[in-house]
Amino acid sequence: MQVTIVGAGPAGLYASILLKSERPDLDVQIIEQNSADATFGFGVVFSDDALAFLRKDDAATADLIEPHMTQWSDIHVVHKGEKIVIDGIGFSGIGRLELLQLLQARAAELGIHPVYETRIKAIDELKTDLIIGADGLNSRVRQTGNFGETITHQTNRFVWYGTNREFDALTQTFIETPYGPMNAHHYSYAPGRATFIVELAEDTFAKSGFETMEEPEYRAACEEAFADVLEGAPLIPNNSNWRQFPNLSCAKWHDGKKVLVGDALHTAHFSIGSGTRLAMEDVIALVDSLKRHDWDVSAALPSYQEARSPVLAKLVRAARQSSDWYDDFEDHMALDPWDFALAYIRRAGRLSSERLRSLAPAFTAELARQGIELEAAA
């Protein structure tokens, strides 16, 4: 059986690893249009208990990656100059390039060597039994099939940077500027390295003049706006253009011998820190379906969608609620810091009062001392 994976990001590499681990006799090839060290972005965030979701079926990969991860147990929300600590909400981070290199090494151990800097001219003419589209938002696999895609965009603008400064928690810093409120999502992913995403509403973006500036100019303006946070550290660009977050969904996950995973299939807003995890879980579900159907592609692909889509729908729904909250963060900033922090942590609609008390006892105890009732705020 031949399998062609289009895209050598985390999802594509992990698909090759799982497939060859399950069936060493498979002929698995990965084709990637970029170079082996090309990556857009800086750090990758995994929520909750890092890579525990891999351990059931692939402890070797989890053991390979986890020692390289930076972990923290709190979220910090900075609003009106006050830092609110939300305890017990754990995350782990790793450099995007380092994650790719670890997965590349694991794939090589299994005899998989991706072909880089190669663009497939005619995907439908590939002589293979299964084509896995792991080629991201602008997926050529999706563009060559009938997947019933829908794409909408959030209204906020954001730009993705790195910085050579460490932060001791995943932090959300909200500030007022001469042109309106701005927000920075920032978190460390390695010693001396952090991701720094700047976000602002559409009206603030219009007033800022960023749209007509070249990248170095608006980078300098962002450094000035968040000078207190950066403490002299520069912002580091990497394809750092202003964008609006795309909400992609597909009615069909497969078309003939083609199937989609990760950002080629769906997107989840970066504010929930689960994009890479969702892509790897897609791969796990796909390979599990192939095993359950004795590697019969025609039976396995519909089963993959049937089994995975209800779980994914809940996660994507939470991500959409989170991104909608950010689109309105200007309005939320009218709240006092502790009310604002509570609104932030409950923005995705998944934390009941009981669960929040269990996860963040110090935070919820302080809310109670201030007379803020969780049930009333739900």
Side-chain angles (χ1 to χ4, degrees):
M1 181 178 177
Q2 292 183 317
V3 180
T4 299
I5 301 168
V6 183
L13 288 167
Y14 192 57
S16 74
I17 291 166
L18 274 192
L19 288 167
K20 283 296 263 187
S21 297
E22 291 294 337
R23 279 192 56 180
D25 63 307
L26 287 180
D27 179 3
V28 179
Q29 64 172 336
I30 307 177
I31 302 173
E32 168 59 52
Q33 65 179 351
N34 296 307
S35 62
D37 61 353
T39 183
F40 304 103
F42 295 88
V44 174
V45 169
F46 292 91
S47 58
D48 301 322
D49 47 3
L51 298 181
F53 72 99
L54 292 183
R55 292 207 167 276
K56 179 182 177 183
D57 299 309
D58 188 18
T61 299
D63 287 339
L64 178 68
I65 295 172
E66 280 190 336
H68 299 268
M69 304 189 85
T70 298
Q71 298 181 325
W72 58 93
S73 60
D74 298 337
I75 292 176
H76 294 172
V77 178
V78 180
H79 174 45
K80 296 184 178 180
E82 184 173 353
K83 182 176 76 174
I84 308 297
V85 177
I86 305 176
D87 55 310
I89 312 294
F91 288 88
S92 298
I94 186 171
R96 188 175 295 272
L97 180 57
E98 185 174 16
L99 176 61
L100 283 178
Q101 291 170 337
L102 290 169
L103 292 173
Q104 288 165 358
R106 174 84 173 114
E109 290 176 357
L110 297 169
I112 304 160
H113 303 283
V115 178
Y116 291 98
E117 300 182 63
T118 300
R119 187 174 175 84
I120 303 170
K121 293 182 179 179
I123 288 175
D124 286 327
E125 295 178 11
L126 289 171
K127 305 300 183 183
T128 187
D129 298 298
L130 175 63
I131 300 170
I132 299 176
D135 49 343
L137 177 66
N138 298 315
S139 169
R140 291 195 66 238
V141 176
R142 192 181 71 246
Q143 292 167 7
T144 62
N146 177 21
F147 294 96
E149 70 177 64
T150 301
I151 299 181
T152 61
H153 289 82
Q154 298 296 133
T155 60
N156 277 8
R157 307 289 178 134
F158 69 94
V159 61
W160 209 291
Y161 285 112
T163 186
N164 52 10
R165 183 201 185 297
E166 286 189 56
F167 300 99
D168 55 6
L170 188 151
T171 306
Q172 301 286 326
T173 298
F174 297 84
I175 63 172
E176 294 285 353
T177 74
Y179 20 85
M182 295 176 67
N183 166 234
H185 311 237
H186 46 101
Y187 55 87
S188 297
Y189 60 83
R193 295 288 183 268
T195 292
F196 203 95
I197 307 168
V198 178
E199 183 174 11
L200 64 170
E202 197 168 22
D203 57 343
T204 303
F205 183 73
K207 294 173 184 175
S208 70
F210 289 158
E211 188 171 17
T212 61
M213 295 181 188
E214 297 295 324
E215 190 279 326
E217 188 178 0
Y218 61 70
R219 186 195 335 152
C222 290
E223 288 174 338
E224 181 179 357
F226 290 98
D228 290 345
V229 179
L230 291 166
E231 297 182 349
L235 292 177
I236 302 168
N238 178 357
N239 195 34
S240 299
N241 302 313
W242 290 106
R243 290 176 283 168
Q244 293 171 291
F245 189 83
N247 297 310
L248 167 69
S249 62
C250 293
K252 284 187 61 184
W253 296 18
H254 55 92
D255 183 18
K257 63 182 179 181
K258 293 181 284 192
V259 65
L260 303 176
V261 296
D263 282 354
L265 174 64
H266 54 76
T267 55
H269 194 257
F270 53 82
S271 62
I272 68 166
S274 295
T276 301
R277 173 174 177 164
L278 292 181
M280 296 175 80
E281 288 180 332
D282 289 347
V283 168
I284 292 171
L286 173 60
V287 174
D288 180 66
S289 185
L290 286 164
K291 288 190 298 181
R292 285 188 289 105
H293 292 277
D294 198 25
W295 303 89
D296 179 345
V297 170
S298 62
L301 299 192
S303 179
Y304 156 59
Q305 178 172 353
E306 182 180 1
R308 174 72 175 145
S309 58
V311 177
L312 183 67
K314 293 180 181 178
L315 295 169
V316 170
R317 190 180 308 119
R320 295 283 173 86
Q321 287 186 234
S322 178
S323 58
D324 286 344
W325 187 92
Y326 275 96
D327 270 6
D328 295 328
F329 80 80
E330 286 183 324
D331 296 334
H332 298 301
M333 284 176 67
L335 296 170
D336 289 334
W338 283 90
D339 290 298
F340 179 80
L342 178 58
Y344 161 78
I345 201 61
R346 303 187 83 166
R347 69 196 182 282
R350 301 182 67 196
L351 277 178
S352 66
S353 298
E354 181 178 353
R355 179 156 172 74
L356 183 56
R357 288 191 183 95
S358 174
L359 287 173
F363 172 67
T364 52
E366 181 58 32
L367 289 174
R369 281 193 290 271
Q370 299 204 21
I372 300 172
E373 297 182 9
L374 295 186
E375 286 75 11

